[in-house]
Amino acid sequence: GDTATIRYVYPAVKNYLNLWQMDEHGLVLHRSGDWDWGDWGTNIDRRVLDQCYYTLALQSALQMAKLCGHPEDVSWYEDRIASIKAVTNGQFWNGKAYRDIAYKDETDDRVQGLAVVSGIADSDKFDAIEKVLQTQFYASPYTERYILDAFFLMGKPEQGLRRMKERFQVITNSCLLYTSRRG
C-alpha cells in the first residue's frame, strides 16, 4: 500500500513517455539509441513491436496517473492507447498475424505475444495468433515470457506450457549437463 515510490517516479515516467514521437498515422516512431527496445536475435518486426512495448508502458503510466490523482493524464493515456490500438489493428493485422508490410522476414512471434499482452489484439484474433505461436520460434528467453503470458490470456494454458517446455528444454539440458560435469 506504500505509494511514495510511484508518486516520486511518476513525473519522470510521464516525461520519458512524452519523448516518443508519433507519425502521421498515430503510430509511435522508433527511437534508436545505445540499446534499442526490442529483443536480440532474428526476425524482429520492430515497427509493430514498438507499438506493443509503448502501449504496455502507457498502460503502466495510466495506472500510476490514477494512483497519483492526475485525471488529465489518465484521459491522455487512455486516448493514446485507444488510438495506437486502432491504428495498429488497421495497418498491421493482415488476417493471419500482425506484420508491417515493409517487413520481409519470417513472422515475428514476439509481436504476436505482445499484441495479446498489451491488449492490442482482441479475442477474435486469438486463434490466428495461436497458429503463429505454434510455428514461429524467434523470441529470446526474455520475450518468450510474453508469449507464455499471451497463451494464458488467450485461455490456452496447456499450449503455453507445451511451448515453454519445448523452448526451454535445450537451456535446461545444458544447465544440467554443466552442473553434472562440475560435480
Side-chain angles (χ1 to χ4, degrees):
D2 182 4
T3 63
T5 301
I6 296 299
R7 291 180 191 284
Y8 177 77
V9 300
Y10 176 70
V13 169
K14 179 182 174 185
N15 288 339
Y16 176 72
L17 291 176
N18 282 324
L19 292 175
W20 295 81
Q21 300 296 310
M22 308 302 280
D23 71 11
E24 66 277 7
H25 306 290
L27 296 169
V28 67
L29 291 169
H30 182 73
R31 291 183 69 223
S32 294
D34 291 339
W35 181 41
D36 278 349
W37 255 4
D39 196 18
W40 57 266
T42 60
N43 301 307
I44 301 172
D45 194 345
R46 190 164 310 279
R47 189 161 179 231
V48 185
L49 196 62
D50 284 347
Q51 309 315 308
C52 297
Y53 276 135
Y54 188 67
T55 298
L56 282 173
L58 290 171
Q59 289 170 349
S60 293
L62 170 65
Q63 296 307 312
M64 290 178 185
K66 287 178 180 178
L67 181 74
C68 296
H70 295 285
E72 67 286 353
D73 295 346
V74 168
S75 60
W76 186 87
Y77 293 127
E78 289 173 340
D79 291 346
R80 182 155 280 191
I81 290 166
S83 174
I84 292 171
K85 178 179 178 175
V87 176
T88 299
N89 279 295
Q91 286 203 5
F92 299 130
W93 180 254
N94 66 14
K96 295 181 181 179
Y98 286 96
R99 288 184 60 91
D100 181 357
I101 59 169
Y103 172 75
K104 302 299 180 200
D105 295 324
E106 295 292 321
T107 300
D108 186 349
D109 53 337
R110 304 165 194 87
V111 164
Q112 312 314 308
L114 278 159
V116 172
V117 173
S118 68
I120 288 173
D122 292 320
S123 60
D124 64 327
K125 297 172 179 65
F126 289 177
D127 288 341
I129 289 172
E130 179 188 4
K131 289 177 184 172
V132 173
L133 296 180
Q134 291 176 344
T135 60
Q136 304 297 337
F137 304 98
Y138 302 109
S140 72
Y142 168 70
T143 54
E144 190 68 35
R145 66 134 323 195
Y146 292 109
I147 293 170
L148 181 59
D149 289 348
F151 274 113
F152 277 82
L153 289 168
M154 293 188 298
K156 301 171 184 291
E158 300 83 17
Q159 293 88 329
L161 292 172
R162 184 178 323 115
R163 178 176 165 124
M164 181 182 68
K165 289 174 185 175
E166 291 169 3
R167 295 285 284 156
F168 289 102
Q169 187 66 51
V170 172
I171 296 169
T172 304
N173 288 348
S174 296
C175 290
L176 291 172
L177 180 63
Y178 176 79
T179 303
S180 69
R181 287 184 178 165
R182 293 194 65 194

